[in-house]
Amino acid sequence: MPRILALLFLPFALNALADNNIQEHKLANGLKVVVQQDHRSPVLVSQVWYRAGSMDEVNGNTGVAHALEHMMFKGTRKVPAGQFSRIIAAAGGKDNAFTSRDYTVFFQQLDKSRLDLAMKLESDRMQNLQITDAEFAKEIRVVKEERRWRTDDKPQAVVGEQFNAVAYQEHPYGRPVIGWMNDLEQMTAEDARNWYHTWYAPNNATLVVVGDVDPKQVFAMAEKYFGPLKAHKLPIRKNQIEPEQKGERRIVVKVPAKLPYLLMGYPAPSLRDAENDWEPYAIAILTGVMDGNSASRLNSDLVRRDRLAVDVSAGYDITNRGPSQIEFDATPSEGTSVADLELAMRTEIDNIKQNGITEDELQRVKAQVIAADVYGRDSMFNQALQIGTYESVGLSWRDVAQYTKKLQAVTVQQVQQVAQKYLDDDKLTIAILDPQPVDEHAPKHEGIFHVR
Amino acid sequence: MYAKYLLAVVSLALPLAVQAALPIQHWKSNSGAEIYFVENHDLPIVDVSVNFAAGSSQDQPAKAGVAALTQGLMSLGANGQSDDQIANRLADVGANLGGDFDADRASLRLRTLSSEREKAASLAVLAAVIQSPDFPAEVLEREKARTIANLSEAETQPDSIAEKAFSAALYGSHPYALQDAITAETVSAISREDLMTFYRSHYTRNNVVVAVIGDLTHEQAEQLAEQLTSKLPEGAAMNALPPVPLPTQPNEVRIPHQAAQSHILLGYPGIKRGDPDYFPLYVGNYILGGGGFGSRLTEEVREKRGLVYSVYSYFAPLRVAGPFEIGLQTKREQTAEALKVVRETLKTFVDNGANAKELKDAKDNLIGGFALRLDSNSKVLDYLAVIGFYGLPLNFLDDYTKQVNKVTLAQIKDAFKRRIQPDKMVTVIVGATE
């Protein structure tokens, strides 16, 4: 139910020892290959990360990064539409893809002997994709169904989308990854082709392989399949900086629902220099103290003690190409007004700003970080995800190992400092879901979006 | 060099699934608990799941929700420790406590570091939660209020509305309908005494299956099992569930909703664990709608016509017939068209079965991908729990690829024809009703 997860305790932590098992190799065409050995099972995961996500889109063309992700399964001269996944499946594998604000990722999970198949297919569609008008016309219908399912019919997802649109006025993070419906309605096959030709190139990609493999063989195989591809000139990436916020921004979102919902966010920096930055690590600890386990402050105080909320969470995404936000969300309990819940949330925030956190709280979060570090090694997929994320947001896989170490070095004073600096009332964006009755006799067709 | 040698030995000695052989150790503890253990020292972690036949099918209709609240409250007060104390003790050692809950089974699941201090502290908490839950009255009131709030939100959401209607239509008065029979009224009626009674009769030492994988010796696993189960209440084994009656006529439920998409579910009573038709139906369903891209449903409804983002079918095997379910969501204007394609695809498949190419592709995937099912401790733990809870043969996983390989086209056709009646399906449509 919560829209935000405390990323701190997701797989984003890896044992420093694992360092020794990671190697990289860069092809002449610019493709970077990163390999991590994990010999626990005779399998592997292969992921191709393109450094192109919705933040690279321009207004009026939102959703094209994600639409292209769908079109990547629609065929090349050698591999007809729909065959990619069938070929992987027949090899005993699983495959899929996902698009975020920062990147687009394609992956296969296979027996360790089938890496050549993944590389053959991925290198082919890196340069030889065919986007026909007919296939695009069918697939964009699928994408619109995905939008209806993911966002339009989910009250809290609508709030999240509107929240971003207000929190970011200049930065492309203000636009939904899936794209506005009106843009999807008008998108053409040519838009998808342009996107593909602009961003899909070896010099804009990272190949991550984790599993029961020999790095030397992986590098040789990458040379064989990806080596012949041509690099091409990428557009200049303009660093878009959100202008300073000059005061609180507050919106109300009226959608059919039963329970109100509150989403609050404060602008915060992402990790840029893994060695020298300290603030992002302190913010990660801060959100861990607020919402790292069920006895953390927000849940303990607002759900368990005061019973003002039925759900509450805090989150902060440390690895972004763009800026970040410290976010809090909550659903009020029966008989609690949204205003009262907001007041309680802000009291919690003020309390941390004024009084900081305790040494006990700090140590508890650190213990969880160390454990999460070990647990993360139980999943090859998550280890690959972590390497790919770091590489794609402008950090290095070497910085992954820094994460746990740097979090261990955070002090209670630093946590209070970042709380005071970033949890600034004048920088708050707040979105409130105002539930509307579900009127079964009022089909909304395209909802709040324009029907063409 | 020494280190390298050691590493080589470790990786030779302990691959989980090289020959599809999962060395499961199974025994009965002194107190009567069934233990399933896989020793694996690759990572310094231990995963435990403690399973009871205490799922939603054990509820009484007027108080639907007792089973779920019992499981939910166990970690919110035990042996005099409060919910916050329990959570903090686990967090202090980086342990994660969770659980699973379905129609048959309620389980608690712990992941902990295997180092002595961490393991001892987290197992002590788990032992208290399982064997001495307090069910504090004020916590129950709070959790009831939260449950009711979530229910009232779910009542407005098309996916939840559809699931509820589907359960009711498919299972009628069978206990498997109880999972979705929870309402504000049934929850309000639940008292602390109800949870205590349910706990004492269902969380018993003759009714528990412990699954363990990780960095432990056999002896340590034995101690762990004793620690977690020897103080459980005594009690008889559970009564058997009645068989699920098969529909005698089609049942179509249409519920109007203003959402942009209609949510459509079709179903029929499916299979039980250990069902003789399990493998033909499982392989057949991969071809029909379980295999994602390449499956007939995805091909017909999404790839050819662009009607959906997601369409799937599955068998969920339970103690008695779990559901066979097909699900999709489509723009409300396309409801009739999508439903027609799904029905035709199902009927064609049941009437004519699969073809040789499809069967080969299915086997290639299910057999070739077997190692991916066991490539992490958490996945192995899931299998251990299922094998133990349902009393499947210990060689179930070793035998899996053989069984899949033996399935023939004739068996698939025969099994679907006998087990699925396309003209007597339950159909639920939430959204466009015209």
Side-chain angles (χ1 to χ4, degrees), chain A residues 74 86 89-90 92-93 138-139 141 145-146 148 153 256 258-259 300 304 310 364 375 378 439 445, chain B residues 84 92 94 111 146 153 258 260-261 299 302-305 309 331 333-334 364-365 369 376-378:
Chain A
K74 294 301 170 186
R86 288 173 186 246
K138 266 192 296 186
E139 197 60 21
R141 295 182 68 188
E145 291 298 340
E146 185 177 352
R148 291 181 187 104
D153 284 342
K258 183 74 182 182
L259 301 179
S300 179
R304 291 181 170 178
V310 289
R364 188 167 293 137
Y375 302 156
D378 194 35
D439 179 358
H445 297 279
Chain B
D84 277 359
D92 281 338
R111 168 165 275 194
R146 291 181 69 204
E153 178 66 24
Q258 71 189 23
Q261 285 184 320
E299 182 64 22
R302 175 171 162 163
E303 296 298 281
K304 280 195 190 156
R305 296 177 178 83
Y309 172 60
K331 182 161 83 160
E333 293 82 353
Q334 299 168 166
D364 284 349
N365 178 263
S376 70
N377 289 16
S378 60

Side-chain angles (χ1 to χ4, degrees), chain B residues 88-109:
Chain B
N88 279 334
R89 276 178 194 165
L90 292 168
D92 281 338
V93 293
N96 297 336
L97 178 62
D100 296 307
F101 186 82
D102 64 25
D104 287 338
R105 187 158 54 119
S107 68
L108 290 144
R109 168 195 274 261

Side-chain angles (χ1 to χ4, degrees), chain A residues 79-233:
Chain A
V79 182
Q83 287 304 305
F84 192 107
S85 297
R86 288 173 186 246
I87 293 169
I88 293 295
K94 293 191 275 193
D95 81 312
N96 212 328
F98 57 90
T99 306
S100 82
R101 300 182 300 188
D102 295 342
Y103 38 73
T104 308
V105 186
F106 302 84
F107 63 85
Q108 297 82 37
Q109 291 166 281
L110 286 158
D111 184 272
K112 67 173 181 178
S113 64
R114 306 311 300 269
L115 181 60
D116 60 329
L117 183 65
M119 286 208 196
K120 190 173 158 189
L121 291 167
E122 284 292 10
S123 59
D124 178 39
R125 70 177 173 183
M126 186 177 279
Q127 215 135 63
N128 302 318
L129 188 67
Q130 292 184 319
I131 301 175
T132 67
D133 291 353
E135 287 292 345
F136 181 83
K138 266 192 296 186
E139 197 60 21
I140 199 69
R141 295 182 68 188
V142 172
V143 172
K144 285 187 276 184
E145 291 298 340
E146 185 177 352
R147 189 194 148 84
R148 291 181 187 104
W149 175 75
R150 243 181 229 296
T151 308
D152 296 345
D153 284 342
K154 297 217 164 105
Q156 293 187 5
V158 173
V159 174
E161 185 174 89
Q162 298 282 315
F163 171 91
N164 285 333
V166 173
Y168 296 104
Q169 300 195 332
E170 198 271 348
H171 197 275
Y173 278 1
R175 307 183 201 123
V177 174
I178 189 90
W180 298 111
M181 186 61 99
N182 187 47
D183 288 352
L184 298 179
E185 298 277 2
Q186 300 185 70
M187 195 176 288
T188 65
E190 195 56 21
D191 293 326
R193 283 179 210 119
N194 287 340
W195 185 263
Y196 178 69
H197 293 304
T198 304
W199 297 113
Y200 281 64
N203 49 318
N204 196 36
T206 307
L207 169 65
V208 181
V209 178
V210 175
D212 190 7
V213 294
D214 171 4
K216 282 199 187 66
Q217 287 175 10
V218 176
F219 296 147
M221 205 183 280
E223 288 284 0
K224 176 182 164 192
Y225 288 109
F226 291 93
L229 304 185
K230 302 257 180 310
H232 64 67
K233 194 165 183 291

Side-chain angles (χ1 to χ4, degrees), chain A residues 74 134-143 145 148, chain B residues 295-309 311 328 330-331 334 336-345 348:
Chain A
K74 294 301 170 186
E135 287 292 345
F136 181 83
K138 266 192 296 186
E139 197 60 21
I140 199 69
R141 295 182 68 188
V142 172
V143 172
E145 291 298 340
R148 291 181 187 104
Chain B
S295 75
R296 292 224 185 151
L297 284 169
T298 299
E299 182 64 22
E300 293 297 326
V301 188
R302 175 171 162 163
E303 296 298 281
K304 280 195 190 156
R305 296 177 178 83
L307 292 171
V308 298
Y309 172 60
V311 58
L328 62 150
T330 189
K331 182 161 83 160
Q334 299 168 166
E337 184 189 0
L339 187 55
K340 183 162 174 277
V341 176
V342 167
R343 283 186 166 144
E344 282 171 3
T345 305
T348 304

Side-chain angles (χ1 to χ4, degrees), chain B residues 100-362:
Chain B
D100 296 307
F101 186 82
D102 64 25
D104 287 338
R105 187 158 54 119
S107 68
L108 290 144
R109 168 195 274 261
L110 176 79
R111 168 165 275 194
T112 178
L113 297 172
S114 59
S115 42
E116 205 42 52
R117 172 182 162 264
E118 281 74 14
K119 187 177 67 183
S122 58
L123 284 175
V125 173
L126 182 62
V129 162
I130 291 172
Q131 298 170 108
S132 319
D134 294 332
F135 303 111
E138 72 281 6
V139 173
L140 175 60
E141 287 317 304
R142 181 187 81 205
E143 295 306 314
K144 279 165 66 175
R146 291 181 69 204
T147 304
I148 290 168
N150 288 329
L151 284 169
S152 69
E153 178 66 24
E155 276 167 20
T156 67
Q157 301 308 314
D159 49 351
S160 312
I161 296 170
E163 280 296 341
K164 230 178 156 80
F166 181 77
S167 257
L170 189 64
Y171 286 111
S173 60
H174 189 274
Y176 279 176
L178 292 169
Q179 184 153 30
D180 290 298
I182 304 178
T183 64
E185 201 183 349
T186 67
V187 172
S188 299
I190 293 169
S191 69
R192 177 167 183 267
E193 195 49 41
D194 293 324
L195 302 198
M196 301 282 284
T197 305
F198 188 87
Y199 171 78
R200 280 196 290 260
S201 55
H202 290 79
Y203 287 75
T204 64
R205 58 175 85 163
N206 293 314
N207 195 22
V208 60
V209 173
V210 181
V212 188
I213 178 171
D215 186 19
L216 284 176
T217 62
H218 178 90
E219 199 185 352
Q220 288 172 318
E222 276 189 16
Q223 288 165 6
L224 173 151
E226 288 296 328
Q227 185 190 356
L228 294 181
T229 60
S230 63
K231 297 198 191 79
L232 281 170
E234 305 237 22
M238 287 297 102
N239 294 330
L241 286 164
V244 177
L246 297 179
T248 51
Q249 54 186 29
N251 182 4
E252 190 170 301
V253 182
R254 287 179 179 259
I255 303 170
H257 195 284
Q258 71 189 23
Q261 285 184 320
S262 291
H263 288 242
I264 303 170
L265 296 173
L266 297 92
Y268 198 80
I271 50 177
K272 61 181 181 187
R273 284 281 172 189
D275 199 295
D277 286 325
Y278 177 84
F279 282 99
L281 291 175
Y282 176 68
V283 175
N285 183 64
Y286 176 92
I287 297 164
L288 172 64
F293 290 98
S295 75
R296 292 224 185 151
L297 284 169
T298 299
E299 182 64 22
E300 293 297 326
V301 188
R302 175 171 162 163
E303 296 298 281
K304 280 195 190 156
R305 296 177 178 83
L307 292 171
V308 298
Y309 172 60
S310 162
V311 58
Y312 58 83
S313 67
Y314 66 79
F315 285 92
L318 291 171
R319 184 72 74 193
V320 294
F324 165 70
E325 182 176 321
I326 298 174
L328 62 150
Q329 310 85 31
T330 189
K331 182 161 83 160
R332 51 191 303 123
E333 293 82 353
Q334 299 168 166
T335 305
E337 184 189 0
L339 187 55
K340 183 162 174 277
V341 176
V342 167
R343 283 186 166 144
E344 282 171 3
T345 305
L346 174 67
K347 184 164 181 354
T348 304
F349 188 76
V350 173
D351 287 350
N352 306 323
N355 64 44
K357 166 91 167 66
E358 288 172 323
L359 180 59
K360 181 180 183 304
D361 286 351

